Amino acid sequence: MGQTQNLEVGPSENTLAIIKPNAVKKNVAGKIISMWEDAGFYIQAIKKVWLMPHQARGFYREHEGKPFFEGLIEFMTSGPVYLLVLAAPGAVQRNRDLMGATDPAKAADGTIRKLFADSLTQNAVHGSDSLKSAEREISFFFNTFELP
Ligand code: CMP
């Protein structure tokens, strides 16, 4: 991880990534973006926003009712986040590999979460878990004018 890699051959795919409030507060957003660039992702779109509760609830609606949901919404609205559309062949899976396990205690060395997560909820980054989720998540946050 962290080394320059050549882009794989194949059609490019988009995935949605979020740099979460704990990572923004620690001032490591640039380091995380560099990890994506060094791994061969192209930054298709990026913006910094402070989510409102209804936006965080809508984004994470599949988790509504789970024990961690309210804490997740409180955390995701506690400060600004970066929203990114990352492009690369196989971007969804490649970003999941680069982020590491959701639970930072289980994340492999060199992954973003191993380096920058503070807890299971404050796990530094989000990445789409499938192409279908990526499409929903990208259109949730970005309109066509923001995706050149
Ligand atoms: P993320 O990839 O953004 O998707 C859902 C988020 O819920 C997850 O990262 C964590 O920030 C948070 N979370 C908190 N507790 C759990 C849990 N037990 N299982 C999965 N996700 C959790």
Side-chain angles (χ1 to χ4, degrees), residues 1-8 37-41 94 98:
M1 299 290 169
Q3 296 214 322
T4 305
Q5 293 167 14
N6 292 326
L7 279 178
E8 286 166 26
E37 289 183 334
D38 290 347
F41 291 92
R94 282 173 63 189
L98 182 59

Side-chain angles (χ1 to χ4, degrees), residues 18 20 59-60 62-63 66-69 71-72 75-76 96 99 102-103 113 119-129 137:
I18 305 178
K20 296 187 179 185
F59 180 75
Y60 279 121
E62 68 184 283
H63 296 298
K66 293 182 184 170
F68 60 83
F69 185 72
L72 175 64
F75 163 59
M76 290 301 292
R96 292 182 72 72
M99 290 191 304
T102 304
D103 181 352
R113 284 170 172 155
S119 68
L120 179 49
T121 294
Q122 302 199 18
N123 61 353
V125 282
H126 166 84
S128 308
D129 66 3
E137 293 178 359

Side-chain angles (χ1 to χ4, degrees), residues 4-118:
T4 305
Q5 293 167 14
N6 292 326
L7 279 178
E8 286 166 26
V9 181
S12 192
E13 169 178 306
N14 286 343
T15 190
L16 183 95
I18 305 178
I19 303 177
K20 296 187 179 185
N22 66 309
V24 176
K25 281 192 187 114
K26 285 197 284 190
N27 220 16
V28 294
K31 286 196 174 79
I32 294 172
I33 291 167
S34 287
M35 287 177 75
W36 280 318
E37 289 183 334
D38 290 347
F41 291 92
Y42 176 73
I43 313 289
Q44 193 79 32
I46 181 168
K47 58 187 172 186
K48 188 180 189 184
V49 300
W50 193 324
L51 296 175
M52 290 189 281
H54 77 275
Q55 295 168 319
R57 286 177 176 279
F59 180 75
Y60 279 121
R61 63 185 177 233
E62 68 184 283
H63 296 298
E64 193 146 14
K66 293 182 184 170
F68 60 83
F69 185 72
E70 295 303 330
L72 175 64
I73 300 309
E74 196 176 318
F75 163 59
M76 290 301 292
T77 56
S78 66
V81 299
Y82 285 89
L83 305 172
L84 301 95
V85 178
L86 304 175
V92 170
Q93 188 54 49
R94 282 173 63 189
N95 185 38
R96 292 182 72 72
D97 293 344
L98 182 59
M99 290 191 304
T102 304
D103 181 352
K106 296 177 185 149
D109 283 348
T111 59
I112 296 172
R113 284 170 172 155
K114 181 73 175 190
L115 289 167
F116 301 118
D118 295 303

